Amino acid sequence: MVWGAAGRLLLAAGLGAAFEALAGWLLRRAAKASPPAVREVLFFPSRVTCVKELLEEAAAAARGVSSSPRGPCACPLPHGESALGRLLGRLLSSPRCSGQAVLLLHRRGVRVRVVTDTDYMALAGSQIGLLRRAGIQVRHDQESGYMHHKFAIIDKKILITGSLNWTTQAIQCNRENLLIVEDKDCVNIFLEEFEKIWDDYNPAKYTFFPKEEKQLLKDKAITGAKLEVNK
Ligand SMILES: [Zn+2]
């Protein structure tokens, strides 16, 4: 049958074209160097821009839908590029970390672990309580020195490190730098350090009030030294 032959022919032609397209795509993909690894530097302070769209997109992605395009946002904040927006975008782009972003990732099923300085556990404006109430694992130091690291690792793949404290104050007011790199060797070194700290700060190992005790001892030593000087 002419119609049948034409139908098969069409089909074959269709498949042929599809294969050709697929082969072409694979060849182009193989020929292309692997996509450039992430290497980005951000400087702060950043102007505060609206991040509503970023958060909405991420929330929609979490639900497995694409966010419906809306009209221009009516909020009073400026809209457009900013270091803050780029940082947030980087955190939220994780397919599988500031408070809203971390919460969003947690709700999306991403395992989030946070290590912070003891002082930040209960500081006014600290988001730590919020994170803990949401069920995110948080550990803190119990040493007299500060937990002064400022790094994040995403998906064991991307390292974000620099001078930036992950606080609104630092983002908006301080001069800070942040380096974002996709580099296996760097990531592994930082990952090892994170796991070591995570284990060091295991609550099972806590002794309570070491800071006060240390301070008391220090005060005593100073008083002792003063007394000796005064003798
Ligand atoms: Zn807005």
Side-chain angles (χ1 to χ4, degrees):
M1 282 178 39
V2 173
W3 184 88
R8 272 198 296 277
L9 187 65
L10 269 179
L11 190 70
L15 264 183
F19 276 131
E20 211 169 78
L22 181 68
W25 180 78
L26 284 170
L27 278 174
R28 280 195 304 276
R29 209 172 158 233
K32 214 169 30 176
S34 50
V38 175
R39 192 176 282 192
E40 189 175 16
V41 177
L42 301 176
F43 291 112
F44 295 83
S46 164
R47 67 188 187 124
V48 179
T49 53
C50 173
V51 293
K52 206 174 143 198
E53 203 184 326
L54 274 172
L55 292 172
E56 278 175 356
E57 268 174 25
R63 293 195 303 272
V65 297
S66 57
S67 60
S68 46
R70 291 186 192 179
C73 178
C75 85
L77 288 171
H79 296 79
E81 281 268 296
S82 72
L84 171 66
R86 294 194 69 84
L87 173 60
L88 196 63
R90 196 59 82 182
L91 294 171
L92 292 170
S93 72
S94 160
R96 308 255 223 172
C97 306
S98 143
Q100 283 285 339
V102 173
L103 275 180
L104 205 65
L105 290 174
H106 172 69
R107 287 192 200 114
R108 216 194 266 180
V110 176
R111 185 188 180 204
V112 178
R113 290 184 290 166
V114 177
V115 174
T116 186
D117 191 82
T118 319
D119 294 354
Y120 273 93
M121 293 299 284
L123 206 69
S126 168
Q127 305 281 300
I128 295 297
L130 196 80
L131 302 182
R132 296 187 88 186
R133 280 193 292 279
I136 290 174
Q137 289 179 282
V138 178
R139 290 185 180 179
H140 62 84
D141 75 302
Q142 52 158 359
E143 300 152 343
S144 55
Y146 286 111
M147 217 309 287
H148 214 236
H149 279 306
K150 305 124 200 299
F151 68 86
I153 301 162
I154 307 175
D155 295 339
K156 297 185 178 177
K157 240 172 101 183
I158 293 178
L159 168 71
I160 305 181
T161 185
S163 68
L164 184 80
N165 273 316
W166 296 65
T167 62
T168 311
Q169 144 82 21
I171 286 170
Q172 293 180 16
C173 311
N174 299 355
R175 285 191 191 268
E176 309 270 10
N177 70 80
L178 214 51
L179 177 67
I180 305 175
V181 282
E182 190 176 347
D183 179 302
K184 219 174 171 209
D185 295 337
C186 277
V187 167
N188 284 342
I189 293 168
F190 274 82
L191 205 56
E192 210 174 290
E193 180 66 9
F194 182 89
E195 293 298 350
K196 186 186 169 297
I197 296 170
W198 187 255
D199 184 59
D200 285 349
Y201 296 167
N202 185 331
K205 297 180 179 175
Y206 283 2
T207 55
F208 289 92
F209 313 116
K211 277 191 175 175
E212 276 89 332
E213 277 170 19
K214 269 188 189 156
Q215 195 56 49
L216 271 175
L217 287 171
K218 229 163 127 189
D219 289 347
K220 270 187 193 160
I222 291 167
T223 315
K226 272 185 189 157
L227 282 174
E228 260 172 40
V229 170
N230 289 339
K231 261 183 210 168

